[in-house]
Each structure stands twice: as structure tokens, then as C-alpha cells.
Amino acid sequence: MDLDNRSVQILQIVASTVKISSKEIMEKYDLTRNQLDYALKKINDYLGENDYRKIIRSRNGSFVVDTKVVDAFSGIMNSESQLKADENSFLDEDHRLLVILLVVFSADYLSLYHFSESLEVSKNTIVSDIKKLKKQLKKHKLTIDYSRKGGYYFRGDEEAIRGLILVVTDQVMDSIYNRLIFEKYLEIQPAEIDAQRKMLRLAEEELQVQYTDNRIQTAPYFLVLLNRRVKNEHFIEQRFGLLAKEIMDTNEYGAIVKVLAGQEMLPKSYTEHLYLCLYILSLKITDLSNIFSLNKDALRTHIETFIAVLEKNTIIQLNDKAQLIENLTLHLTPAYYRIRYGLTSDYTLTDIVKNQLDPLFFIVKSSIAPLEEFFEERIPNDEIYLITMFIGAYMHKEKPINLDNTIVKAAVVCPNGIISSKLLEKTLDNWFPMIHFVSSFSIREFYEKEDMLDVQLIFSTNPLTTELPVIVVGNDLSAMNKTLIVNEVIQLIYKIDSYKLQPDHILSIVKKHLPMTAEAEGKIRKELMISYNSIFQIQDQEILTNETKLNLSDLITKESIIILENELNWLEVLQAATQNLIDREIVEPSYLKHLKEQFPEVTPSILLGNQIVIPHTVPENGALELGMCLAKVKQGFFSQNQTYRYVVVISAIDKKMHIQPMMQLLKIASDPKVIQRLDQAQDKEALLTIIQEFKKA
């Protein structure tokens, strides 16, 4: 059976979107509950006929989707998706708007009649579409205008227009309509794409780099549209100035010009071929074999400084810093061109991922100054989120590699570049201690090295044609998909069906025969999960999420605040604050001894915002529980010719639970108005009132 267009859209959005609800789908597609139920029945019939597990709708209206369905039918990699729109498919409004943007960007003269005929809708619909686009384009400081001589055209900064089209091109590529839009509505010929892809392959050889699979898929389409734009005499303004010389003197610029000239693709305008070179240089790469001409030693030095500031603000020591520095250097090398010259990043993060990252993101952003000093530019938030993802993966205690205890060796295959592949590898590495992950590869690298790999298992975000067992994990390692992935791993490694051993399944049987309270059910589920994970060596660590959701007000309570009236020196203040933790059995007495040895004076490494001193040491020096003590010294104390009034002694027992409280403490330390209010507070209750304002809902 074939699916109708609406069912295709519903299947794609359910497979692509984490935790979307029935209500959201009904609102998005203007459906009644009966219509949605009917569509889901058709979808499940279709999945059943094609040997996929059916989509399950839970009581709260969300959906449980098998990872193989996610991979095959989501918009993540639609160049290989099994859902494709054909020439007879009717575009929905969202994709029709994208077509209008791409056509206005790349065509010469466009009339209302042209849009109406090609998109097969009324002129009134096109007028309405353009009004909607104008509203959306305001945030980019762009608009679409009309003139009798030129038809419809973009008005605004040319760089902003190109940045927008870069994003739109990616959106189209990630849709089921990609072939329909590119071939039918934009009339892009396969020969044009082949020519651009050939050019990029030659650029790879000349630069000794390898672009990611996604870039090789998408970049040629943008380059074809850009070429049309330039032919229609829409040129970039000459804004690079002295910075142009910095790029034009590099070996990379010369190499790309050589390739473009050899393929007869070099624009006549030097600003245009400079823009083209910068775009090619900014494409993601998957290895560090290339040597860019920017000063990598200086970049590494600034990364080291950034990490030192970050460690102070998070009060943790990051693992394997040498490897972290190399991987950040790898990511920030092409990002240098994006950030320094205002090119658009091709990375995208969902709001859900951003919400998970927010506590750590704030601390990373507060520590980013050394990198911004190197780039001599403000680093955009999306780039900081990517750095945050990477840091988050390294914040977990790495399991020691003991090959005697590992059952299989595995590799990770991911087409989305170093950030995504390393994060995926770290996540799986934390989940499965019984597996030794040897490396991560792009799809092309995997096929090139497949015969030489000494592995028994592959984790991939995309289906692969190989004799090795492949577990397709998709690009979203949400909790919703973790159970399915774990089950598949257990079946492959231990040769058993683990479904009937799962805690929820056992609990459902027990509940049929024994009544229990919600509290008892929660405790039993937790113990069953611990036992289940122990049997199969599954770790229950979730990368980047603060599961306990602790706030600063959970750690700084009335019992953990002391107000010191007398005139004291630094070590006396340290003694009083740490004694509070000792008395509450948060730390052992040895903790104080180590603090005094490490910090005989206040040093920059334990200062937040030059206002709050945060002495701390490693958990092995006597930390028993997570805790804090806030000491306010009314008369202040001196150290290193500076006066301080606030000390927060911290006991951290892992690299995760205290991140959100530290974010909130950093916000307090960074806000002079809040510090002034702390100065005015005369008792514990007043201090607590201020601290509780920073509680995250």
C-alpha cells in the first residue's frame, strides 16, 4: 500500500520530533481526533507491511517510535529516506514558502503569474505567502519587494540573504520534498550537481581534508543556486577590507582558487571568489590531517586558557584534556572562518537539546572570553552550544578500558562531523561498559576501512550495507529511544530477548496481583532498574542532562549559612565555613587540611566574578556528599591586597550534579546589583530570599 501525502507528513514529523503530542499534530495539520486515528492506522498498516514495528501512542498522547522507523522515515537523512515525494505530490504551505525563497534568490525575473503557474496555486495564495514571508524576514532585516522591471526580488544585505538561503537549502535537503523541489521547481540538473560535487572532491584532495557526508550532499545545491545568483549580478559587497589579505595570502586560498579555475568555476569578482573560498573553507571536516594557515599554536593556547577558566567556574577537572584540546582545535579551525568572516554555521540544534544544555551553556558562555580574544569576534550562541555539547561529553568520568572485561569491540558511524560523532561515541561508551569503542567514522571512511576493522558491532546513525551487525541509533539519543537501543545490544551480545526481563514489564506483572502506592512503585522500579543494569553491565548515565535538577537553594539553606561578625583573616574564614560542612557530615575533617594546603591565600582560580571565593578540592580529599556553606564576613577579610566578603566552600562528589547550582552562583557573582543586595542583607533569611530567586523552575 502507498501512503497519502498527509499520512507521509504525519509519519515524518512523528519520526523526526522528540515527544510531539497528538494535540500538537492535530493543531499543526488541522485534524480531528478521528482523522488522526485514521491516519495512524494507515501508517501502522504501512509499517507492518514493510516489516517495521508499529508506532505506539501512550496514554499521555505522546508516541513511542522504534529507532529503525526514526532512521528510515525522519527528515534526518532524507537523501536515503524511504519516504520520497514524487512529481505529483502537492507541497504543503511551509515547503511552498521555502520554494519561493529559493526561486527569488536564484531566478532572474519573477512575476506573480510565474509563481502561480509553477506552484499550481492561485495568485491570491501567492500574495498571501509573500506577506507571510515578509513578516518572517523582518528578523533578518530582509524583505521581498516587487518592481515592474525586475519582478520579485530580495531587498537587504547580500550576505544576510546568502546566510538565509544556506539555512533554507539545508531545510529542503532534510525534507521528503528535496528531490521534487530541487529538480521540478528549481530545475537543477543532475549534471550541475555532479560538477559541483566533483569540484568539492578536488578541493578535498588539494587541501588534504575530508568533508562530512551531509556537506557533500547539501553544499552542491547551494553552490548551484549561488552561481545563478552571481550570474544575475547580485554581488557581495566589498566588506572584507584588510581581512581579505589575511585570507588571500594563505595556501588554502591559493589551493581553492586553483581548483575553481581548473573547473572554470572561478567568479570574475575577487570578492565573490573570496566569499566562495571562505564558504568552502568553512565546511565541516572530519580529521586534522590538513594544516590551515591560521596560527594553531595560538589557538591551542587560547583553548587551554578557556578550559582553565571553565574548570574554575565548574569546579571540576576535565578528563583527557590533551585530546579535548585537539578535538576543539579540529572543530574551531573551520569555525574560525565562519566566526571571523560572518559565514553561517551549518550546525543546527533543537530547542530540546538547548534546554538540556542550558545550565552548562551558561557557564561555558561565561568562560568563553579567551576564545573570543583569539577570534577577535563575539562567538555566536549556536557555536557556544556546540562547544558546550563537546565539553558535556568530557565531563563524565571515563570508564577505564579493560579489554579483559569487554565482550565486543564496536565502531561508531556518523555523517555529521566531529562534534556529533564524538558526542555519540561518548554517550554509547557511557551506556555500555562491556563494549570497547575503537573509533568513530564518517560513512565514506567506514566503507573505505571496513575490511580492515577489527570490530564485531557497528552503531550508526544511518543504515549501512555491510555484513557486520549494525544497530541504527538515529541522531537523537533521547530517553525514549534508549530502551530500544539497549534491548538490541543485549539481544546481539547475550543472544536473549531482554523484553520480558525489563523492570517495567516485571512491575506490570506484580501490579496485577499486589496493590502498591505510587511511592512504593517508584522505589521498586528503581531497584529493578539497578539490578537489570548490573546484570547486563548497562550504565544509567545520561550525557549533558542534570537529572536531579538541583538548585542553589537546595544546597545553600539556613543550616548552611554562617554570618561572621568579627574581624577575621582568610584562613580563619576558611576554617569556620569548612567546619560547617564537617559538622553536617558533608565532608571529613581532612577536607579542611587539604583546603588550607592548596589555598594559603585567595587565588584567581577560586574566584567567581571577583566577588565570591569558592574554595574546593577533589572528592578524594574527604568529600562525603554534595554540599555548600555560604559564609558572609560583615567586616570583610583581606588576601593578596584584596577585600572579600563572601566565601562558598563547596563539596562536589561528581562532575554533574552541581552544574546547575554553580550556574546560579555564577549568575549571582556576575551581577553587581545582586552583590549589593547581599551586602545589604543582615540575616540568614534575607540572604536565603535572594538565593531562592535564582531557583530554576
Side-chain angles (χ1 to χ4, degrees):
M1 64 173 289
D2 294 323
L3 291 178
D4 58 80
N5 196 46
R6 185 166 67 188
S7 297
V8 166
Q9 293 173 6
I10 292 172
L11 175 53
Q12 185 187 25
I13 195 169
V14 170
S16 302
T17 311
V18 178
K19 294 183 180 178
I20 192 167
S21 67
S22 300
K23 183 179 178 182
E24 289 172 310
I25 293 177
M26 287 189 289
E27 289 176 353
K28 180 176 179 64
Y29 296 108
D30 192 24
L31 301 175
T32 65
R33 179 165 292 279
N34 286 338
Q35 287 174 323
L36 177 58
D37 290 343
Y38 179 70
L40 286 172
K41 183 180 182 303
K42 290 179 66 176
I43 289 168
N44 278 331
D45 289 344
Y46 172 83
L47 293 175
E49 287 182 7
N50 290 277
D51 297 324
Y52 290 98
R53 293 182 182 177
K54 295 182 178 181
I55 294 171
I56 301 171
R57 184 161 51 176
S58 64
R59 290 182 180 179
N60 62 9
S62 60
F63 300 90
V64 179
V65 188
D66 184 78
T67 51
K68 291 183 179 179
V69 174
V70 170
D71 185 81
F73 302 110
S74 73
I76 292 169
M77 190 67 176
N78 272 284
S79 59
E80 297 183 14
S81 174
Q82 296 191 29
L83 289 179
K84 284 293 177 185
D86 58 30
E87 285 198 11
N88 299 317
S89 297
F90 188 76
L91 288 180
D92 58 33
E93 180 184 290
D94 290 342
H95 288 89
R96 191 171 67 243
L97 297 181
L98 297 181
V99 171
I100 292 173
L101 288 173
L102 293 175
V103 172
V104 171
F105 176 78
S106 60
D108 186 9
Y109 180 86
L110 295 166
S111 66
L112 196 61
Y113 174 80
H114 170 88
F115 282 122
S116 177
E117 285 294 304
S118 62
L119 291 168
E120 300 177 29
V121 293
S122 69
K123 292 180 181 179
N124 287 338
T125 299
I126 296 298
V127 171
S128 175
D129 287 345
I130 291 176
K131 284 182 179 179
K132 291 174 184 175
L133 285 172
K134 285 184 176 182
K135 188 175 180 180
Q136 295 174 16
L137 291 173
K138 278 186 178 179
K139 64 181 178 182
H140 301 283
K141 297 182 180 179
L142 301 173
T143 190
I144 294 176
D145 277 354
Y146 177 81
S147 70
R148 289 187 178 180
K149 182 179 179 180
Y152 285 99
Y153 65 96
F154 278 115
R155 180 162 57 84
D157 180 71
E158 180 64 19
E159 287 180 63
I161 294 169
R162 296 183 184 189
L164 171 68
I165 298 304
L166 268 170
V167 173
V168 171
T169 305
D170 280 343
Q171 289 175 345
V172 171
M173 181 58 78
D174 282 344
S175 79
I176 62 172
Y177 300 104
N178 51 22
R179 189 176 298 134
L180 175 69
I181 290 174
F182 288 134
E183 294 181 6
K184 179 179 178 181
Y185 295 108
L186 294 172
E187 298 180 350
I188 296 177
Q189 302 301 314
E192 295 179 275
I193 298 301
D194 290 343
Q196 295 292 347
R197 194 162 285 140
K198 178 183 177 182
M199 181 272 291
L200 290 174
R201 297 294 192 204
L202 292 172
E204 284 183 315
E205 293 177 14
E206 199 69 35
L207 292 170
Q208 294 185 323
V209 303
Q210 186 175 62
Y211 300 124
T212 61
D213 304 295
N214 287 354
R215 290 298 87 212
I216 289 294
Q217 288 292 325
T218 306
Y221 290 93
F222 173 73
L223 290 171
V224 169
L225 298 177
L226 179 64
N227 186 48
R228 294 180 184 180
R229 180 88 178 159
V230 172
K231 284 184 178 179
N232 291 330
E233 300 184 349
H234 296 284
F235 300 119
I236 203 89
E237 293 183 8
Q238 191 172 354
R239 80 162 182 93
F240 295 109
L242 293 175
L243 295 178
K245 187 176 186 302
E246 185 175 333
I247 289 297
M248 296 177 77
D249 286 344
T250 65
N251 296 330
E252 295 71 42
Y253 173 82
I256 293 175
V257 168
K258 174 184 174 183
V259 170
L260 291 171
Q263 298 299 302
E264 298 182 352
M265 294 181 178
L266 189 65
K268 294 180 180 179
S269 163
Y270 94 90
T271 54
E272 283 300 331
H273 69 238
L274 178 59
Y275 177 88
L276 191 55
C277 289
L278 286 171
Y279 171 71
I280 295 172
L281 287 170
S282 73
L283 294 174
K284 288 185 291 184
I285 57 176
T286 55
D287 62 68
L288 200 55
S289 59
N290 62 310
I291 305 298
F292 283 91
S293 296
L294 84 163
N295 189 336
K296 282 203 177 153
D297 289 337
L299 175 57
R300 287 188 179 91
T301 299
H302 283 78
I303 290 174
E304 289 172 3
T305 306
F306 156 68
I307 290 173
V309 175
L310 181 68
E311 288 182 323
K312 179 190 76 172
N313 289 339
T314 56
I315 69 163
I316 63 171
Q317 297 294 311
L318 295 173
N319 294 318
D320 196 8
K321 279 189 280 192
Q323 187 61 48
L324 174 58
I325 290 168
E326 286 307 305
N327 286 330
L328 280 175
T329 303
L330 170 60
H331 169 64
L332 290 174
T333 294
Y336 171 84
Y337 298 98
R338 291 197 301 267
I339 295 168
R340 191 76 190 275
Y341 305 106
L343 295 175
T344 302
S345 167
D346 57 305
Y347 294 98
T348 56
L349 294 178
T350 66
D351 288 339
I352 289 173
V353 172
K354 288 181 177 180
N355 288 337
Q356 291 177 344
L357 293 171
D358 271 345
L360 183 57
F361 166 79
F362 180 86
I363 297 177
V364 171
K365 187 172 183 178
S366 301
S367 313
I368 208 73
L371 295 182
E372 292 184 331
E373 179 184 335
F374 176 80
F375 289 117
E376 298 180 3
E377 294 282 350
R378 298 283 295 189
I379 297 180
N381 280 350
D382 280 350
E383 294 284 355
I384 298 176
Y385 271 116
L386 292 166
I387 296 170
T388 304
M389 287 177 68
F390 215 102
I391 296 296
Y394 276 82
M395 282 177 57
H396 287 263
K397 184 179 180 181
E398 294 185 344
K399 70 171 194 266
I401 296 176
N402 186 340
L403 297 182
D404 293 334
N405 293 332
T406 56
I407 298 173
V408 297
K409 295 179 183 178
V412 171
V413 177
C414 176
N416 297 321
I418 185 69
I419 290 285
S420 296
S421 61
K422 285 298 180 184
L423 181 65
L424 175 59
E425 183 182 332
K426 286 282 183 180
T427 304
L428 294 169
D429 191 49
N430 274 294
W431 284 3
F432 302 114
M434 81 292 283
I435 298 176
H436 172 43
F437 289 88
V438 298
S439 189
S440 54
F441 303 93
S442 69
I443 293 175
R444 280 193 294 160
E445 286 176 323
F446 170 74
Y447 285 129
E448 289 170 1
K449 300 176 181 179
E450 179 183 3
D451 293 339
M452 297 177 285
L453 287 178
D454 179 21
V455 297
Q456 294 79 46
L457 185 60
I458 302 293
F459 290 86
S460 176
T461 58
N462 298 89
L464 299 172
T465 304
T466 176
E467 294 182 1
L468 290 167
V470 178
I471 295 179
V472 180
V473 295
N475 280 273
D476 169 40
L477 290 176
S478 66
M480 179 181 69
N481 290 329
K482 179 180 176 182
T483 300
L484 296 173
I485 296 168
V486 169
N487 288 344
E488 199 165 351
V489 169
I490 290 173
Q491 287 172 357
L492 279 170
I493 293 179
Y494 297 99
K495 310 301 182 186
I496 62 172
D497 184 354
S498 67
Y499 172 73
K500 293 182 179 179
L501 301 177
Q502 287 178 12
D504 282 339
H505 180 71
I506 295 173
L507 195 56
S508 67
I509 296 174
V510 176
K511 285 170 65 179
K512 287 181 182 178
H513 306 284
L514 293 175
M516 63 181 68
T517 64
E519 182 181 0
E521 181 180 343
K523 290 180 178 179
I524 294 172
R525 177 182 282 107
K526 183 177 180 180
E527 290 193 28
L528 286 172
M529 183 61 73
I530 291 171
S531 176
Y532 177 86
N533 290 346
S534 175
I535 292 170
F536 295 110
Q537 300 183 50
I538 306 299
Q539 295 291 336
D540 198 21
Q541 301 171 352
E542 297 295 335
I543 293 291
L544 303 174
T545 59
N546 190 2
E547 294 170 351
T548 56
K549 298 182 180 177
L550 286 175
N551 289 288
L552 185 62
S553 59
D554 294 317
L555 301 181
I556 298 182
T557 61
K558 191 173 182 179
E559 292 74 23
S560 60
I561 296 177
I562 59 174
I563 297 178
L564 304 174
E565 304 278 355
N566 299 330
E567 185 175 332
L568 302 171
N569 62 37
W570 156 240
L571 290 179
E572 289 172 331
V573 175
L574 180 61
Q575 166 97 31
T578 310
Q579 190 63 46
N580 174 277
L581 294 177
I582 295 171
D583 292 343
R584 292 190 290 124
E585 298 183 347
I586 302 295
V587 300
E588 295 175 344
S590 60
Y591 201 78
L592 175 59
K593 173 179 174 290
H594 287 288
L595 288 179
K596 286 182 174 180
E597 291 175 353
Q598 285 183 238
F599 308 111
E601 297 286 350
V602 174
T603 64
S605 65
I606 55 170
L607 267 180
L608 282 187
N610 297 320
Q611 298 288 342
I612 300 177
V613 186
I614 53 166
H616 58 277
T617 185
V618 295
E620 292 79 7
N621 287 340
L624 299 174
E625 295 180 14
L626 175 63
M628 294 182 178
C629 172
L630 167 61
K632 176 177 179 177
V633 187
K634 284 194 171 181
Q635 296 187 37
F637 64 91
F638 291 93
S639 181
Q640 304 280 51
N641 298 319
Q642 296 290 326
T643 302
Y644 306 100
R645 286 187 176 84
Y646 302 99
V647 173
V648 178
V649 180
I650 302 169
S651 167
I653 55 174
D654 62 19
K655 298 183 178 181
K656 178 178 174 182
M657 291 178 65
H658 66 284
I659 291 299
Q660 184 160 287
M662 283 303 301
M663 173 198 72
Q664 294 163 350
L665 186 61
L666 183 55
K667 285 184 177 180
I668 291 174
S670 305
D671 192 331
K673 292 182 179 179
V674 178
I675 296 296
Q676 187 177 18
R677 289 176 61 202
L678 291 176
D679 292 342
Q680 295 167 354
Q682 296 301 311
D683 53 36
K684 293 183 180 182
E685 287 74 14
L687 291 169
L688 278 175
T689 299
I690 297 169
I691 289 168
Q692 287 171 350
E693 291 174 4
F694 288 82
K695 184 173 182 179
K696 184 178 176 67

